[in-house]
Each structure stands twice: as C-alpha cells, then as structure tokens.
Amino acid sequence: MIGCTKKVLPGKSGQMLGLKGHQNSKIIHWDIITIGNLSRNRYWGESEEKELHPVICTTTIITGKDFHVIVDPSLKDGNAMAAELKRRTGLTPDDIDVAFVTHEHGDHHIGLPGFPKAKWLAGAQVAAAINSTAKYFKKVEPAGSTLFDAIDVVATPGHTPGHTGLRFDYRGLSVFAAGDSVATKDFWDEGIMYFKALDMEESKRSMKKIASISNIVIPGHDNYFFYL
Ligand SMILES: [Zn+2]
C-alpha cells in the first residue's frame, strides 16, 4: 500500500538484515543534490586515456534538527548551484551551515564560493592542500572528528592521502558519503578505485572499511546505492 507507515527496518529485524546504523539519529533528512559522473567510464567501454565528458561530482545534503551540511558542492556557477539546491531541497545557500569537502580535487570544492556564509570544512590534510592552491576568498578549516555531534568524519585514504568521508545514522541505516573513496557503483562492485587512485591498495582497504560500517554508500561520481 502506498503511504503505508508500517516500520519494516527497526530493531532486531533490522539487525538480522545487517543494518549498521542507530535508530536514535540526529539526522532527519539526507538527499542527493547533483548526481556526479566521470570524465571517462571504463564500464561504458570508454578508454581511460583521455577526458571524454565534462565532469561534476555528486553533491549531498545532510540535515539535522538545527543544521544543514552540504558535501562536495559541485557547480562552479553559484547561481546554478543555488538553483539546484532550491530545486531539490527548497533551501537557499544561506541556509547551509557547513560545506564539507572530501578531498582536494577541484571538482569537489569548485562550488564552495556559492556558500559564502557557511563554514568551509575538510579533513586537516585536505584543508591545507586546498588552501595552498585554490584562490578562494576564505579558507577551508580543519574539521574535528564529528560534525554537530551527529556525523562522523572518517579517514578513507587512497584516492588522495588525506581523503575523508562522512558517516551518519538514518532510521537504523548507516549512510556513508564517500567522496572519491568510492568512484561509482560499478567500481565498487569490482572493488577497485578509478584511474586517479594515488594508492590502489590503500583505496581497497578504505572501501572494505566503508563496507564494514555502512549500508548506503554515496559515491563521488554516481547516485547512492544500498549495501547490506
Ligand atoms: Zn577526486
């Protein structure tokens, strides 16, 4: 029945399904703002030799009772980023408290200037890397181990050395905004990082870690998927 409110994933039955999150989460909503893509995709039969498509990353919004976090703002044009945010969430950039960046590759932080009032955060190594190269009007600050006491900042090195993802609980599910520690679902299924991996073995270890602590993975360049 459409609209049925019967709970199907709580407590013990959820644990039997392998759910790894907690019910008592401070997160009340999360969603994808832009679905990313790759500049070349081996699963589409494309060579990895050269760039074939304009690329954007996946942008995620994570909302609590009194905060909004945007992860990896993808669009350079601030008006376009604001329009996507409005279209998907009804929010404006000024509603965003934190813009979090998973790693220092430009396609994951190019949209930061569209959020001038938000605090810009990243793992310490990533923040230093962005601040040393990008010419933004303010600095990216190092994040602590959690955001709003509700979202875990988790080291997932390999794609870049300081790469970090965000893990949070939602209705008993554990959700992981992975940035480029997971490129797309196809790469995840094969258990490899895409051609840009700085350290492939470290990448594989990070993906195993993500698999062990999450049920839903949000890749850096694809839509989210379930993993039980
Ligand atoms: Zn990247």
Side-chain angles (χ1 to χ4, degrees), residues 31-124:
D31 214 333
I32 307 297
I33 308 301
T34 62
I35 300 175
N37 67 290
L38 292 172
S39 61
R40 66 216 76 178
N41 193 324
R42 60 191 272 152
Y43 302 100
W44 298 351
E46 295 173 349
S47 161
E48 294 187 339
E49 296 294 306
K50 63 177 191 316
E51 188 176 332
L52 298 168
H53 315 287
V55 66
I56 64 167
C57 73
T58 296
T59 299
T60 304
I61 186 111
I62 307 168
T63 293
K65 192 163 170 254
D66 49 12
F67 63 84
H68 298 287
V69 175
I70 198 161
V71 187
D72 288 349
S74 58
L75 302 181
K76 184 179 184 181
D77 180 338
N79 291 330
M81 189 79 251
E84 281 303 289
L85 184 67
K86 189 79 176 174
R87 189 178 71 83
R88 297 285 297 123
T89 67
L91 300 171
T92 69
D94 288 354
D95 293 321
I96 304 300
D97 301 286
V98 164
F100 183 88
V101 177
T102 56
H103 66 295
E104 61 269 38
H105 290 159
D107 55 326
H108 291 255
H109 56 78
I110 198 166
L112 278 177
F115 300 91
K117 290 190 179 170
K119 186 175 266 201
W120 297 355
L121 294 177

Side-chain angles (χ1 to χ4, degrees), residues 7 9 39 41 56 71-72 80 86 97 99 114 116 119 130 132 166 170 184 187 191 212 216 221:
K7 289 184 179 176
L9 298 175
S39 61
N41 193 324
I56 64 167
V71 187
D72 288 349
K86 189 79 176 174
D97 301 286
K119 186 175 266 201
I130 295 171
S132 68
L166 297 181
Y170 181 76
T184 68
F187 278 93
S212 72
I216 294 178
H221 293 273

Side-chain angles (χ1 to χ4, degrees), residues 158-195:
H159 179 70
T160 67
H163 194 295
T164 57
L166 297 181
R167 194 212 67 82
F168 57 91
D169 298 304
Y170 181 76
R171 296 185 178 179
L173 294 161
S174 175
V175 185
F176 203 95
D180 281 359
S181 49
V182 178
T184 68
K185 183 175 187 302
D186 289 332
F187 278 93
W188 171 271
D189 287 344
E190 196 176 341
I192 59 170
M193 175 43 53
Y194 75 126
F195 69 98

